[in-house]
Amino acid sequence: MKYAIVESGGKQYRMEEGASLKVDRIHAETGAEVFLDKVLLVGDGEEAAAGQPYVPDAKVACEVLEHGRDKKIIVFRFWRRKDSRKKQGHRQEFTRIKVKSIQA
């Protein structure tokens, strides 16, 4: 099984052909094809090729399935003896993609 480690949105993801996963928001239309070219490592089970920092001429073709927002997390800060606190919520935007092919 061919796989790749790809950097997207400041995070690293392990991608395999046919898999779908959530990544940080990618600005592309639903149904569009996007190419992720920051490939750090490409492997096929027995051997792997690592880049310095990226593998040259390697890219992962993905299809954008949907855009959405994750569940809300609460950021609560509390300062003792100051009668002060702050409550803030955040919902991270994401893009669900499906890996079509890994080209190396």
Side-chain angles (χ1 to χ4, degrees):
M1 179 60 111
K2 198 169 192 180
Y3 67 93
I5 306 293
V6 176
E7 181 182 322
S8 174
K11 299 179 181 125
Q12 297 176 6
Y13 301 95
R14 184 178 198 264
M15 299 187 172
E16 296 178 356
E17 291 181 358
S20 84
L21 62 147
K22 287 194 312 189
V23 296
D24 276 353
R25 178 73 184 235
I26 297 174
H27 297 285
E29 295 291 323
T30 303
E33 188 174 29
V34 294
F35 293 97
L36 304 175
D37 57 349
K38 292 185 176 183
V39 180
L40 302 168
L41 183 132
V42 176
D44 62 357
E46 285 123 31
E47 59 183 63
Q52 299 174 355
Y54 303 118
V55 178
D57 300 327
K59 57 185 167 182
V60 177
C62 302
E63 179 186 357
V64 176
L65 299 178
E66 66 172 334
H67 299 291
R69 295 175 76 192
D70 261 338
K71 62 181 185 178
K72 182 178 275 193
I73 62 165
I74 303 297
V75 181
F76 186 78
R77 296 190 178 154
F78 176 80
W79 290 269
R80 61 188 182 145
R81 299 187 302 269
K82 306 287 191 232
D83 193 28
S84 181
R85 57 185 166 259
K86 180 166 89 171
K87 182 178 180 182
Q88 186 177 16
H90 176 74
R91 290 183 68 188
Q92 184 68 34
E93 293 186 341
F94 70 86
T95 300
R96 186 174 305 280
I97 60 173
K98 181 173 183 174
V99 180
K100 294 171 79 174
S101 67
I102 298 172
Q103 301 151 9

